[in-house]
Amino acid sequence: MTSPDDVSRKIEKLRSEINHHNYRYYVLDSPEISDAEYDDLMRELKQLEEQYPQFLTEDSPSQRVGAAPVEAFGVVAHPQPLLSLGNVFSENELEAWYNRTLRLAGNSRFDFVGEHKIDGLAVALTYIDGKLATGATRGDGFRGEDITQNLRTVRSIPLSLTSDAPPRFEVRGEVFLSRQGFKKLNEQRAAEGQALFANPRNAAAGSVRQLDSRITARRPLDIYIYMLGWAEGKTTPATHWETMEYLKSLDFKVNPNNRQLQDLDAVKEYYRIWEKQREDLPYEADGIVIKINQLNLHDELGDTGHEPRWAIAYKFPAVQGTTRLKDIGISVGRTGTLNPYAILEPVSVGGVTIKQAALHNEDDIRRKDIRIGDTVIIQRAGEVIPEVVGPIASKRTGIEKEFSLIAKLPKNEQGEPACPSCGKNSIVRPEGEIMYYCVNSACPAQAQQRIEHFTSRGAMDIRGIGENLSAMLFSQGLVKDIADLYRLKDKRDELTNLEKLGEKSADNILAAIEKSKKRPLSRIIFALGIRHVGSETAEILADEFRTIDDLANATAERLEEISTIGPKIAESIAAFFQQDENKDILTRLKSAGVFPEEMAASKPADLPLSGKEFVLTGRLESLSRPEAEAKIKALGGTAKGSVTRKTDYVVAGADPGSKLTRARELGIPVLDEKKLLEMLENK
Ligand code: IVH
């Protein structure tokens, strides 16, 4: 008779053999045994696990077939945000990035790693004690979806690690479908009469976000790991290249086309090679990614909030196609801009059918001499809206018509040009601007989009109200402006009766609206939809003013004192808060409780470090940088990325960089770690 111990040992042995062969096959692409031999091992393991279910574990290689479907994905907070990448499209832009980086890095010397930018889906994999604990999507960068079950089915993701990995760490990479895998999947779908995926990226994203992981398991997904997110409990290498070598030694799959590049010439060469050969790659890549190799410089250079300064994507030329420009339409944007757009004879470009494309503005259309009826070149690049590059003048027949925005607008009763949405003669083109605007603040297209923007993810994040519901709430008169959203709770019956909306959804929406009252000030500022104020400017404003009233009372001159705010933005902000309708909206938002007390409480001067700006450089021993920043913030201080005259203290840890030099130049007090800790403790 076999003892339980024997069985357990046998199972462990089989698992480790199968893991090894998985690795040979899926990661190294160099199997040591035949498929039939592999199947035999797997069959034996499954039999034992069936017979002795007490030994079945989640990380068993037999479990790569997927688990029972879930109703929705959970949410995972990323301990360190997943950023995106800045883009350059030419050698000139690349050089500009390089020169900027050189300047910011001071005298430090560095080299690069070149990688392919694969068009798939970013994921973060967390390993705890050698086992895959969580797999998550990027989401908004701060919070993603928990897709662990799905990622377990990706054969090239190790479920358990053999060598001595850090006790807790996170790697990041791109999940993708090879061209071949994509083709096979679509052939299969065609045979089954199912809708086809437009491109490998969509297919990969769709596969990874399946609620039923058994479906994911049947898709030939693959992964390349492209960075170490964070690691605890073990020192990891000091360069990106060595880190990737280290991750390879832990059995992670790393792209063999990555290269160490000594200087900018080598970067350009790497780009040229792959730009020519991209079609021969087994996967779709839309460019290369250039990363600074020295990790201390990653810390030093930091990020812009969205993009690291230590990496850049150098994109391959976009995919182009030609078609006929049937007409030019005009839509009204959230801030009243009249946006011309191309109405096209539908055409497939790189696997995506395109019917409309951006035309930017009238000047641009004139400069490119685009005429209605022209055969035009259109291009799409990555996620952005396709655009019209220009006409093919040789294809003209003589019946093409030049475009004039004013002439294209509908007319009001007096025969004057009118806004396509509100029908009012309210069109202006402010001096020095290239856009025409509808300045009627009651214009329905604008009002409705303001509501949509207010509820959107990056703004107040009111789940359940998207484009369609915003339009419906507005057209039914339930919500005339953003402040009305907070009165919806008194109109629950009407809300419930809205087309297709049941009691449950209505209650969920009302709960989401309530919850949104607690959003931080920066989100609220962004959500107001002030012209020229994006999320980054909103954060700067929130940092600077701390309360909405102080911001609302700021003059354009005061706003311009902020280094990142130019006259155009300053003017737009001041004008926004002077408008009676906006004053009224603010009053109503406040009385609904949207600007909570806590924010007012964090006014400068209320906390020991209020108004003090810190800049951290180098490595700290007892605290991680985010921890140190959090402590400073908790005491009312701010942590900034670069040293300016306004900086109060520079904190220098081990291996400090150019920020310390700059601090010395400007005569700014420098604290070492001990002094920082004393300061934090004594407050
Ligand atoms: S590094 C903070 N390396 O491109 C650095 N990204 O726009 C961010 N991507 O969401 C990522 N290949 O999904 C990096 N070799 C590579 C990549 C890569 C593809 C994707 C990634 C990210 C997006 C950035």
Side-chain angles (χ1 to χ4, degrees), residues 83-85 115-118 122 138 174 226-227 289 291 308 310:
L83 303 173
S84 72
L85 285 169
E115 300 174 1
H116 291 173
K117 185 166 190 297
I118 298 181
R138 173 165 182 259
E174 195 82 352
Y226 55 59
M227 71 185 270
V289 181
K291 298 176 181 172
W310 46 266

Side-chain angles (χ1 to χ4, degrees), residues 91 261 264-274 276:
E91 284 200 356
L261 304 168
L264 203 64
D265 282 339
V267 168
K268 291 177 186 169
E269 183 61 17
Y270 184 77
Y271 176 86
R272 277 195 288 267
I273 292 173
W274 290 111
K276 272 195 226 97

